[in-house]
Amino acid sequence: MLNLTNVDLSLPQMMRAIVLIEPNESIRLSETTLPVPECSENELLVKVEYVGLNPVDAILSKSGFCQWQYPHILGLDAVGIVVKAQKGVYPNVGDRVMWHASMSEQGALSEYTKVPNFAVSVVPDEVDAMTAAALPCAGMTALISLEKLRVTAGETILIEGGAGSVGQFAIQFAKQRGVDVFTTASKRNHKLLKQLGADVVFDYHDPKLCEKIRRELGPQGFDAVLDSVGGESTIRNIELMRFCGRIACLRPLPYFEQDLLDRKGPTISIVSLGGAWLDNSLCAQQKMGFMSKVMLDSVAKGEIQTPDLQLVEFTADHIGDALNRQIGGSFTGKQIVKVSD
């Protein structure tokens, strides 16, 4: 917890924000000035320090979202200092908090934002603010995927796209559970993923990928697959699973031939982090808060490491460029916007 004397409680009426005026393919953003949000009884006013960028931010910048009002403030993952809270509401003024915001509400790429008090986790002193901003979306997606897959010690899992942020977290959390981890990545990232604990890493560009996986794995097939790619890769991954194997999908499902489903009998799970908010599930939102604490504790103890962090300036042009990099391919780190000191 920070000393309250270090927190500026003379709050301004207006703030800088980076907004999407309308969805567009090139992700053109604008800087504007907006009123500092007014909070209800269970909401905290937070001075934003860092915002973590995710692929979903870039995808929705292009397509828009049905519940958004424009101009829309982007940014789902954030860390900041509580500067205003109703008496008796926890966390307290001066606490540093981390959260994953509702997809349907205004985001966190602004100097101040409001967030429900039950949706935040207090950041321990052992974890710096920039590192904490890298955790929510990718880390919780990895944890929820592994929970849906119910992987246990001695089982095998294929983690597609292991060099992405979700993949890097999933490899580490899966190894904590004693699972044998197979993953795919470009050759330049194989050493990194081995260091994170992956047992076998395959080159996803390899035209003989399936043949090499079967040779390494044997005839039994994977117990579980974390599929972050979608499309034809999902069909291929089900072919590589054992009968009644489990697959957690982060992307929209392709069309499945009935023969494939009959032969493999897969258990298919959809991972939707935003669904906790979109379905107004207070239980799911509170569970996300618990997962945030698990991640923070793991980082504080040195049990989990984050992807390489890359700082992004708090300007419309720099953030637009960063979002394009998120979905441009071959990106392995985590981009973090520094909003304020």
Side-chain angles (χ1 to χ4, degrees), residues 97-119:
V97 293
M98 175 191 85
W99 71 95
H100 178 74
S102 170
M103 189 183 297
S104 61
E105 302 292 336
Q106 294 287 1
L109 278 170
S110 54
E111 292 179 309
Y112 294 87
T113 192
K114 62 179 181 179
V115 60
N117 71 306
F118 57 80

Side-chain angles (χ1 to χ4, degrees), residues 12-232:
Q13 293 184 323
M14 306 296 290
M15 65 179 185
R16 289 174 61 211
I18 305 299
V19 299
L20 181 71
I21 301 298
E22 61 180 5
N24 63 90
E25 265 308 302
S26 59
I27 313 185
R28 291 187 307 275
L29 305 177
S30 300
E31 182 175 329
T32 189
T33 302
L34 296 171
V36 171
E38 294 288 335
C39 297
S40 62
E41 289 185 359
N42 72 325
E43 291 178 322
L44 309 168
L45 183 65
V46 179
K47 183 177 182 180
V48 180
E49 295 177 292
Y50 293 94
V51 174
L53 300 181
N54 297 291
V56 67
D57 298 310
I59 293 168
L60 294 180
S61 295
K62 290 174 175 281
S63 67
F65 184 66
C66 60
Q67 296 187 26
W68 283 0
Q69 294 183 345
Y70 298 95
H72 179 76
I73 303 172
L74 298 171
L76 296 172
D77 290 356
V79 170
I81 305 297
V82 178
V83 293
K84 188 176 182 181
Q86 295 288 336
K87 187 176 181 180
V89 173
Y90 180 82
N92 303 307
V93 171
D95 283 342
R96 173 171 284 130
V97 293
M98 175 191 85
W99 71 95
H100 178 74
S102 170
M103 189 183 297
S104 61
E105 302 292 336
Q106 294 287 1
L109 278 170
S110 54
E111 292 179 309
Y112 294 87
T113 192
K114 62 179 181 179
V115 60
N117 71 306
F118 57 80
V120 306
S121 297
V122 175
V123 179
D125 293 338
E126 296 86 353
V127 181
D128 66 83
M130 185 175 174
T131 297
L135 300 177
C137 186
M140 280 192 284
T141 298
L143 282 172
I144 290 171
S145 298
L146 295 175
E147 183 176 280
K148 283 178 173 283
L149 292 170
R150 305 187 312 279
V151 289
T152 57
E155 290 192 312
T156 57
I157 186 172
L158 172 65
I159 297 174
E160 280 273 45
S165 295
V166 173
Q168 291 189 40
F169 284 120
I171 288 168
Q172 296 175 83
F173 284 124
K175 292 308 296 181
Q176 285 184 349
R177 290 161 170 76
V179 178
D180 294 330
V181 174
F182 297 71
T183 189
T184 60
S186 61
K187 282 188 176 180
R188 66 187 178 89
N189 291 314
H190 285 200
K191 182 179 178 180
L192 167 65
L193 301 189
K194 285 278 194 175
Q195 291 172 342
L196 293 177
D199 296 286
V200 183
V201 187
F202 299 99
D203 181 3
Y204 65 75
H205 293 297
D206 193 331
K208 295 184 178 180
L209 175 61
C210 290
E211 178 184 327
K212 290 183 177 179
I213 287 176
R214 289 192 174 99
R215 188 186 309 149
E216 185 72 38
L217 182 64
Q220 68 271 24
F222 293 109
D223 296 298
V225 174
L226 197 168
D227 181 48
S228 60
V229 179
E232 291 299 315

Side-chain angles (χ1 to χ4, degrees), residues 4 7 48 68 111 116 161 171 210 227 233 244 247 291 299 302 304-305 326:
L4 294 187
V7 181
V48 180
W68 283 0
E111 292 179 309
I171 288 168
C210 290
D227 181 48
S233 293
C244 290
I247 183 169
M291 287 184 172
V299 173
I304 293 291
Q305 68 181 66
Q326 287 285 161

Side-chain angles (χ1 to χ4, degrees), residues 230-250:
E232 291 299 315
S233 293
T234 305
I235 297 171
R236 180 202 69 199
N237 289 336
I238 291 177
E239 287 282 8
L240 291 169
M241 287 161 47
R242 66 170 175 80
F243 180 66
C244 290
R246 293 101 61 192
I247 183 169
C249 300
L250 310 187

Side-chain angles (χ1 to χ4, degrees), residues 282-297:
L282 181 59
C283 180
Q285 293 165 20
Q286 291 172 331
K287 187 170 184 177
M288 285 167 61
F290 171 76
M291 287 184 172
S292 293
K293 292 181 177 66
V294 170
M295 290 187 295
L296 287 166
D297 288 343

